[in-house]
Amino acid sequence: MEAMENLTYDELQIGDSATYTRTLTEEELVLFAAVSGDVNPVHLDPQYASKTIFKERIAHGMWSGALISAALATIMPGPGTIYLEQSLSFKRPVRLNDTLQVRITVAAKEPKGRVVLDCEIVNQNDEVVVTGQAKVIAPSEKIKLERPSLPRISIGESS
Amino acid sequence: MEAMENLTYDELQIGDSATYTRTLTEEELVLFAAVSGDVNPVHLDPQYASKTIFKERIAHGMWSGALISAALATIMPGPGTIYLEQSLSFKRPVRLNDTLQVRITVAAKEPKGRVVLDCEIVNQNDEVVVTGQAKVIAPSEKIKLERPSLPRISIGESS
């Protein structure tokens, strides 16, 4: 069982960074539509998407936001982090099978456990797709725990 | 079949607002963990969550962000909208079975189709859980289309 270990406020130093990589699968496009209710056909319908300026299906912008939040919650600072603020600037579309690398970097340490992190996502061509900044309360105590396993999720035919 | 119809840049007026309501189910907590990779046990493990300051499982913060993006993409301005920026400030935790109402309000119209929208999410007790602001390129042409239906998604036992 894989472990998740956090970085406390005291351990974090300005300039520290961490990365988190993820590839957009068709399954994730469908799940993100389901979990947000954003069923815009530019994400779901290849024929419709082909007639838009994007030419093909694209990711929900907030899927990229979700990857940033996952990096903050599971890697740096990790478990025990309290999310206060996030800004996101969507620079380029994300397409099916694109592999995104989230990089978060400690930009500032503020009083009361507050930490500001610069966030950048690049695709497999090293093009910046999202930039932003997060503010969190970093954990004060060390936490190490087992990474929970997720239930099996299966996707059927369109109803 | 339900239809989605957008509001064009020309149709949108400062002060116009729209709402989108959604209840956090256990299934959505699990799906959001799967689609983001954020398997932090504060979202998934009731026993772990009971020992945190939240006392019980809470939503991923970015799930609220996803609801805002869904409101922008499917209701106002709706299909054809291009997402440029989003800021989010997480004010209060969202708990299982909380019903959130997203309200988006046109705050400013800028050149080149740009529209700024204030975003606020309140829970069933009328407490503000998230505030933020979005910037989009609003559609220039009227689009009316059928709301796509999603495949059936089923969640099994933890593997």
Side-chain angles (χ1 to χ4, degrees):
Chain A
M1 180 77 78
E2 209 183 339
M4 291 196 292
E5 187 170 351
N6 68 2
L7 292 159
T8 65
Y9 179 81
D10 289 341
E11 289 175 317
L12 291 167
Q13 302 298 330
I14 291 171
D16 284 356
S17 71
T19 60
Y20 172 62
T21 300
R22 191 131 174 145
T23 299
L24 180 65
T25 63
E26 184 157 15
E27 188 177 60
E28 278 180 345
L29 267 183
V30 171
L31 291 180
F32 203 90
V35 82
S36 65
D38 180 354
V39 293
N40 200 305
V42 74
H43 308 302
L44 298 173
D45 180 343
Q47 204 186 341
Y48 175 88
S50 72
K51 289 177 265 173
T52 67
I53 62 164
F54 302 113
K55 306 294 183 202
E56 56 183 306
R57 277 180 290 175
I58 57 166
H60 300 78
M62 207 51 85
W63 181 68
S64 297
L67 299 191
I68 292 173
S69 73
L72 296 167
T74 65
I75 301 174
M76 189 173 91
T81 299
I82 295 175
Y83 212 178
L84 297 180
E85 294 172 21
Q86 179 71 54
S87 65
L88 297 165
S89 180
F90 305 106
K91 302 293 190 188
R92 273 188 189 77
V94 174
R95 298 187 155 81
L96 212 55
N97 303 315
D98 277 0
T99 297
L100 301 190
Q101 185 183 63
V102 179
R103 178 176 294 274
I104 50 179
T105 306
V106 177
K109 292 179 74 175
E110 299 180 351
K112 295 187 180 175
R114 267 66 175 171
V115 176
V116 177
L117 300 110
D118 289 330
C119 311
E120 186 180 72
I121 305 182
V122 297
N123 65 18
Q124 67 281 1
N125 303 319
D126 215 29
E127 297 167 318
V128 175
V129 296
V130 174
T131 61
Q133 201 168 60
K135 182 180 273 196
V136 303
I137 303 177
S140 55
E141 288 175 26
K142 201 73 182 164
I143 300 175
K144 186 171 180 175
L145 42 81
E146 286 181 356
R147 180 178 286 268
S149 60
L150 285 172
R152 184 186 304 273
I153 294 166
S154 53
I155 299 179
E157 296 296 306
S158 281
S159 54
Chain B
M1 180 79 76
E2 210 183 339
M4 291 196 293
E5 188 170 349
N6 68 1
L7 292 159
T8 65
Y9 180 82
D10 289 340
E11 289 175 316
L12 292 168
Q13 302 299 329
I14 292 171
D16 285 355
S17 70
T19 60
Y20 173 62
T21 301
R22 190 127 174 150
T23 299
L24 179 65
T25 63
E26 184 157 14
E27 188 176 60
E28 278 180 346
L29 268 183
V30 172
L31 291 180
F32 203 89
V35 82
S36 65
D38 181 355
V39 293
N40 200 306
V42 73
H43 307 303
L44 297 173
D45 180 344
Q47 205 185 341
Y48 175 88
S50 71
K51 289 176 267 174
T52 68
I53 61 165
F54 302 114
K55 307 293 183 205
E56 55 182 305
R57 276 180 291 175
I58 58 166
H60 299 79
M62 207 52 82
W63 181 69
S64 297
L67 299 191
I68 290 173
S69 73
L72 296 168
T74 65
I75 300 173
M76 191 175 90
T81 299
I82 295 175
Y83 211 177
L84 298 179
E85 294 172 21
Q86 180 72 54
S87 65
L88 297 165
S89 180
F90 306 106
K91 302 295 189 186
R92 276 190 186 77
V94 174
R95 299 186 155 82
L96 212 54
N97 302 316
D98 277 0
T99 296
L100 301 190
Q101 186 183 65
V102 179
R103 178 176 294 274
I104 51 179
T105 306
V106 177
K109 291 179 73 175
E110 299 181 351
K112 294 186 182 177
R114 267 66 176 170
V115 176
V116 177
L117 300 110
D118 289 330
C119 311
E120 186 180 71
I121 305 182
V122 298
N123 65 18
Q124 67 281 358
N125 302 319
D126 216 29
E127 296 167 319
V128 175
V129 296
V130 175
T131 61
Q133 202 168 61
K135 182 180 273 196
V136 303
I137 303 178
S140 56
E141 288 177 25
K142 202 73 183 164
I143 300 174
K144 186 171 180 175
L145 41 80
E146 285 181 356
R147 179 178 287 269
S149 61
L150 285 172
R152 184 186 305 273
I153 294 167
S154 54
I155 300 178
E157 295 298 306
S158 281
S159 54

